[in-house]
Amino acid sequence: LPYMTFHQLKPYHDRSHDYMPNDYAHNILVCCPQNAILFTQGDNDTFPLWFIQEVKKFRKDVRVVNLSLLNAGWYIKQLKYIEPKLEFSLSDKTIDEQLVGAYPLDKDYPYRHGRIQTVLPRGSYIRVQDIGIMELIKSNYGKRPICFSITVGPDGRIGLEKYFLQRGMVYELIDTLQNGPVMDKEATEDLIVNQFKYTNLNRKVYLGKEGGRYVYSYAEGFDRLARTYLKEGNESKAVELWKKSIELLPYVGLSYYYLGNYYFERKDYD
């Protein structure tokens, strides 16, 4: 009985060929400018980054800031006092006494720093993490690049998308932009084609539910870049990128779907 259990379940628990967490962390960090502050969302887009920074000493210049933890005063003080330190204008007393919980807004809450401005609308809530983002921008923008991982959803971006310049899997806050998110096509192509790691993704490897979801995001990245070229009329470049996605990710169905959908839309059935 133990042997049968082992034999039947081993394929679903064997991670010996799964390099997804390591590669995903590498692929996010390699997109960041030097000395960037990088906002991440939760566990799966944060802990792998910390691992390869602390254990493998890769891109330790990037300060990863987890938005979930940014709701905690102790974490904000870690950012202030533990190397590499981040500038944060609020005093420890203010952090301890005022940065607690979430507060309903009975009127619009405007925020402005230089040319960067946003509004949290009346009827929503302002959280400690929202104040933390605003304060980190106020204290560090112009000194260090401010970036958001693409894993951060709209709720965590506090309306700053129009200032986003996308390079690979990272959005950088650029105050001269007004119509973002805008993609840096050349930088993104160099990253996803030449610098990203896709270890063992050219073979059938069991990645589990979460790993499979992140692999899909690679195919989606190729598609977004291809669609950007397509909108500019560069169809050959778009097709080249979809085919590259199939070459690098042959076991990801989305890679085939995006290219097939392009041909289907043009009624090219050959």
Side-chain angles (χ1 to χ4, degrees), residues 63 73-96:
R63 186 62 147 125
W74 61 264
Y75 180 67
I76 295 174
K77 286 191 280 189
Q78 280 191 0
L79 297 175
K80 284 183 68 176
Y81 297 120
I82 297 179
E83 295 290 351
K85 300 176 184 178
L86 295 182
E87 294 188 28
F88 201 88
S89 61
L90 297 182
S91 68
D92 289 357
K93 183 177 180 181
T94 299
I95 294 170
D96 291 334

Side-chain angles (χ1 to χ4, degrees), residues 10-11 13-19 199-200 203 205-206:
K10 180 179 182 293
H13 296 275
D14 180 8
R15 295 295 190 271
S16 61
H17 302 292
D18 180 4
Y19 287 82
T199 307
N200 287 340
R203 56 185 288 189
V205 175
Y206 182 75

Side-chain angles (χ1 to χ4, degrees), residues 109-112 116-120 134 157-160 163:
Y109 186 94
Y111 170 78
R112 180 167 190 158
I116 297 171
Q117 53 186 322
T118 188
V119 176
L120 299 184
M134 295 174 185
R157 302 172 188 169
I158 61 170
L160 295 171
Y163 303 106

